[in-house]
């Protein structure tokens, strides 16, 4: 998805797409279907939250992914 591409580019790991989704939930009802042409906000996040080398950061992001995707 487009969100995973942004996450990889800005945070270094595709699993951090959840933070981009959280910042744009008012515009994106389904993270698997990002509307074409919308302006996406890329939030500036503390590196301790989005450290691509830290397994705890990735595991936490995956937990959030599960929560968002199970409710679709």
């Amino acid at each position: 998805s487009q969100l995973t591409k942004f996450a990889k580019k800005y945070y270094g790991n595709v699993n951090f797409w959840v933070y981009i989704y959280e910042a744009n939930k008012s515009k994106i009802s389904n993270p698997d279907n990002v509307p074409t042409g919308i302006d996406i906000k890329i939030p500036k996040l503390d590196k301790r939250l989005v450290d691509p080398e830290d397994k705890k950061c990735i595991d936490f992001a995956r937990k959030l992914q599960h929560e968002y995707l199970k409710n679709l």
Side-chain angles (χ1 to χ4, degrees):
S1 89
Q2 195 65 19
L3 295 180
T4 59
K5 290 177 188 174
F6 286 135
K8 178 71 174 168
K9 178 178 179 181
Y10 291 101
Y11 304 133
N13 188 294
V14 297
N15 291 293
F16 298 138
W17 67 265
V18 294
Y19 304 117
I20 299 170
Y21 173 64
E22 287 177 340
N24 294 278
K25 279 197 303 190
S26 64
K27 301 176 193 175
I28 303 169
S29 60
N30 180 344
D32 286 333
N33 187 14
V34 178
T36 304
I38 67 167
D39 289 326
I40 298 288
K41 295 178 192 172
I42 306 295
K44 185 171 179 123
L45 300 171
D46 188 317
K47 290 291 184 186
R48 293 174 291 181
L49 182 63
V50 289
D51 181 351
E53 302 298 320
D54 187 338
K55 185 177 178 331
K56 290 179 186 177
C57 292
I58 295 169
D59 289 344
F60 185 75
R62 286 182 177 159
K63 182 179 175 184
L64 289 175
Q65 289 175 34
H66 177 72
E67 292 300 313
Y68 283 126
L69 296 176
K70 80 175 185 179
N71 293 323
L72 293 180

